[in-house]
Amino acid sequence: MARVLLVEDDDAIRTSLGKSLTAAGHVVSAVAAGADGVAAVARERPEVLLLDLGLPDLDGRDVLAMVRAVSDVPVIVATARDDDASVVRLLDAGADDYVIKPFSAAQMDARIRAVLRRLGQDPHEESTVEVGGLRIDPRSREVTVDGAPVDLTRKEFDLLLALSRRPGAVVTKRELLAEVWGLPWGGGDRTVDVHLSWLRRKLGETAAAPRFLHSVRGVGIKLSVPDGDG
């Protein structure tokens, strides 16, 4: 189903999980160190990265930052910490999902499939969305404003695409956390706010002077046609 890179220093876990994911239909390659993982991401271009945070050579969070500097590959992090603050920090740092140790191979397979569904959203079946001067192409993942290309990160694009699926409707931050970050509970408003701020800047607007993205206090955000754009 997917080309998976596993970065895990425990030999038993690496071997067992690799075999189970291969049996589930994935093409799995595995390394034991963080530096090797970063190099493999650049070399192999996997479709999903499974990253253990407890690595022998580098802190897993540093590996995540290095990966994000060179790739938008979806990252699922394995962590022993399940408190909200730790999880939100991981998602803010660029992780797409997480599993809490100990976990089963079946659970990891389900997470991989969920991340791929969330990021893909059946792009071949989605049409280009136009909202005033804003044009969003889900298939090519390209965005233009008044004909000029806008360079978005993967999360910024996913956030904009999620809003574009409900043009004119107010989407709550909880809905966005679930759809874009796979975080189906409250407490992550800062994650949405930060990415929304970056997205607005790239679209040439601000919260005080919005063009496309309008905040509805206490409710959420809506994508709508600006006055004068037609």
Side-chain angles (χ1 to χ4, degrees):
M1 291 178 65
R3 298 190 313 277
V4 176
L5 173 63
L6 171 60
V7 182
E8 167 63 64
D9 70 313
D10 186 292
D11 291 341
I13 294 176
R14 190 172 63 252
T15 300
S16 174
L17 184 57
K19 288 181 177 179
S20 296
L21 293 178
T22 298
H26 302 291
V27 178
V28 182
S29 60
V31 296
D36 292 337
V38 176
V41 166
R43 181 179 64 251
E44 299 177 14
R45 299 185 179 276
E47 293 174 296
V48 181
L49 170 62
L50 309 182
L51 175 62
D52 179 41
L53 293 185
L55 297 170
D57 59 335
L58 296 169
D59 184 277
R61 293 169 184 80
D62 292 334
V63 175
L64 178 59
M66 293 179 197
V67 167
R68 278 290 163 259
V70 299
S71 173
D72 279 338
V73 60
V75 179
I76 302 175
V77 169
T79 176
R81 304 189 62 177
D82 62 353
D83 59 286
D84 285 3
S86 296
V87 169
V88 169
R89 280 197 296 271
L90 287 172
L91 295 170
D92 281 342
D96 294 274
D97 203 348
Y98 66 96
V99 291
I100 304 299
K101 296 180 177 179
F103 57 86
S104 66
Q107 181 183 0
M108 182 63 85
D109 177 47
R111 294 283 186 169
I112 292 171
R113 289 185 281 108
V115 163
L116 292 175
R117 281 198 305 272
R118 211 160 55 229
L119 295 179
Q121 296 289 347
D122 296 323
H124 297 295
E125 298 180 8
E126 289 193 81
S127 302
T128 298
V129 178
E130 295 191 21
V131 180
L134 174 64
R135 186 176 187 274
I136 306 162
D137 188 337
R139 291 172 291 254
S140 64
R141 295 180 68 85
E142 294 176 342
V143 174
T144 60
V145 173
D146 300 328
V150 180
D151 184 20
L152 300 181
T153 66
R154 181 160 49 79
K155 282 300 184 190
E156 291 164 355
F157 182 87
D158 291 343
L159 176 58
L160 182 61
L161 184 61
L163 292 167
S164 75
R165 293 188 177 112
R166 313 163 182 77
V170 179
V171 185
T172 68
K173 291 180 181 179
R174 176 167 290 192
E175 289 174 318
L176 292 171
L177 282 168
E179 183 169 336
V180 178
W181 284 272
L183 187 64
W185 65 77
D189 285 4
R190 177 179 171 275
T191 298
V192 177
D193 291 339
V194 168
H195 284 79
L196 186 62
S197 175
W198 294 338
L199 180 57
R200 278 181 164 139
R201 188 179 307 124
K202 292 184 178 181
L203 295 180
E205 62 177 63
T206 65
R211 181 180 176 188
F212 302 105
L213 304 175
H214 298 263
S215 295
V216 179
R217 185 178 296 275
V219 184
I221 304 98
K222 68 177 179 178
L223 177 67
S224 59
V225 178
D227 294 337
D229 275 32

